[in-house]
Amino acid sequence: MDVHGELVNELKTLRKGRGLYASRIGERVGPALQEACQVVAGDDPAEIRRKLARRLDVLSGALPPDLRVAVLAAFAVSADSRLPTYQERVRWAGLALDRDPRTARRRVDEGIHQLAQLMIGSVDRVAAIAGADTGWHTTELGITLVADRTFPEAIEQRTIVSHQNDLTQLDLAVTLVAPHLQAAAARTGRLDVGVVHGGTLTKHWMESSDRFAFTLALPRPLACGDTHDFALHFRLPERELVRPHVVCVPRFPCELFDLRVRFDRDRPPPRIWLLHQVLQREVDDPVPHHQSLTPDPCGDVHLRFRDLTPSLAYGARWAY
């Protein structure tokens, strides 16, 4: 059977009963789903559910809204649809979509076929990256920037996949663009970074006048195909020293970038722009031609980017 057909059949098996919350979930995940969701030997039921839920949530973001609602309900990913049987979840999806159960069931089937296609593409991208001998790559990146204070702070959360056995450390870097004071910032080592969870920082060095590099030692060696989550905390230089933007420019394809920026709700920047698939040299273009953004009543901007293209910038820019 072709890989797409295997994935479709395994997804249809997974949706039965309680879906992701079946008591013997490990027996419900076939070899095609294991590869697509990086489920490896030794994963306990909670870890298997976490990996499946995360992959289904990320990939379903590329589906039309009605199909996303249907498939997330079918597998009991969405909290409101965690009902005991598949039939009940189909009825729930029908009510959510204002459709009868028969139509909702067709939406689920259509969504599963498209999810299988997306999973094949995801596996192919990982294989291509692994073939480049990179050691590891990021599948999901989350950044929360608290920009409404004199010294902004950021939390970076990552999920990475290992391409080799016995991976023990990750070399990481972040660029802070400080006009007129880049050299001074580099000399004084103004980057304040710490680990929230998932490793230990062992080395710091400067790759350039504004690029700070560091090594994260992992709590255990990773085997090929293993995933690992970690989080870092950054206390950044004064706002006046940092150009007003935050972007991700991936070296390799990344499935998800979740960005949250918190501005002063009483004095938000008068201009905020979305940066999506922007060339790096255009991030600071004096005359930006990008979609405008408006913070919510709390001063927050929340953006989600899927299937990021390498070497292009994704994020937000603002001006006071």
Side-chain angles (χ1 to χ4, degrees):
M1 185 180 296
D2 66 290
V3 176
H4 180 266
E6 290 180 5
L7 282 168
V8 168
N9 283 347
E10 291 181 17
L11 287 168
K12 288 183 176 180
T13 297
L14 183 65
R15 73 186 181 186
K16 295 178 180 178
R18 291 185 178 272
L20 292 187
Y21 294 88
S23 58
R24 302 171 75 172
I25 186 67
E27 298 178 6
R28 305 275 292 275
V29 183
L33 266 180
Q34 289 175 7
E35 183 176 6
C37 300
Q38 282 104 44
V39 174
V40 297
D43 285 346
D44 61 25
E47 179 68 5
I48 293 173
R49 290 190 183 96
R50 187 182 68 84
K51 288 183 175 181
L52 292 172
R54 184 164 57 191
R55 184 51 55 91
L56 292 169
D57 180 50
V58 170
L59 293 182
S60 67
L63 300 177
D66 59 331
L67 299 189
R68 174 175 166 81
V69 169
V71 297
L72 292 183
F75 298 109
V77 176
S78 50
D80 293 339
S81 66
R82 290 174 189 167
L83 302 170
T85 68
Y86 173 59
Q87 289 76 16
E88 289 177 279
R89 295 196 296 278
V90 167
R91 285 196 291 272
W92 182 93
L95 291 172
L97 296 171
D98 194 21
R99 295 291 185 270
D100 60 71
R102 181 178 299 179
T103 301
R105 192 173 292 108
R106 289 199 298 269
R107 297 288 190 274
V108 172
D109 288 339
E110 185 179 353
I112 282 177
H113 278 269
Q114 293 192 30
L115 273 179
Q117 294 169 348
L118 293 168
M119 284 180 173
I120 292 172
S122 177
V123 170
D124 288 344
R125 286 195 298 274
V126 171
I129 296 167
D133 192 27
T134 59
W136 60 276
H137 81 283
T138 299
T139 59
E140 298 176 29
L141 171 65
I143 293 178
T144 300
L145 174 64
V146 184
D148 62 345
R149 55 190 63 177
T150 301
F151 295 94
E153 297 185 39
I155 296 290
E156 175 187 304
Q157 297 175 288
R158 283 184 191 248
T159 298
I160 65 104
V161 177
S162 175
H163 303 157
Q164 65 183 58
N165 290 320
D166 200 30
L167 180 67
T168 59
Q169 65 181 36
L170 308 176
D171 289 330
L172 305 167
V174 62
T175 299
L176 297 181
V177 185
H180 312 302
L181 292 173
Q182 294 172 349
R187 287 196 301 270
T188 56
R190 299 180 71 93
L191 182 66
D192 183 353
V193 57
V195 179
V196 179
H197 65 79
T200 303
L201 290 178
T202 58
K203 289 188 292 185
H204 296 253
W205 70 96
M206 297 300 303
E207 288 188 336
S208 69
S209 62
D210 60 1
R211 186 167 178 81
F212 298 77
F214 42 94
T215 296
L216 181 75
L218 302 177
R220 62 177 178 83
L222 300 182
C224 183
D226 282 356
T227 62
H228 179 68
D229 297 330
F230 66 90
L232 305 173
H233 173 265
F234 297 90
R235 189 167 184 261
L236 305 176
E238 296 178 70
R239 282 185 295 178
E240 291 78 2
L241 303 182
V242 181
R243 288 179 187 169
H245 68 256
V246 55
V247 298
C248 170
V249 184
R251 182 180 176 191
F252 299 103
C254 179
E255 294 177 5
L256 177 66
F257 173 37
D258 187 283
L259 173 63
R260 297 174 185 268
V261 184
R262 185 173 188 85
F263 298 104
D264 185 335
R265 67 176 184 177
D266 296 322
R267 294 184 301 167
R271 293 171 294 172
I272 307 174
W273 300 280
L274 170 71
L275 300 177
H276 180 261
Q277 293 185 330
V278 174
L279 295 174
Q280 285 183 263
R281 65 176 181 270
E282 296 178 0
V283 169
D284 282 324
D285 191 323
V287 185
H289 301 283
H290 307 294
Q291 176 184 335
S292 296
L293 301 172
T294 302
D296 67 20
C298 297
D300 297 347
V301 168
H302 182 203
L303 303 171
R304 286 170 70 91
F305 305 93
R306 292 183 171 87
D307 291 326
L308 280 66
T309 301
S311 301
L312 296 180
Y314 299 79
R317 173 186 172 187
W318 56 95
Y320 288 98

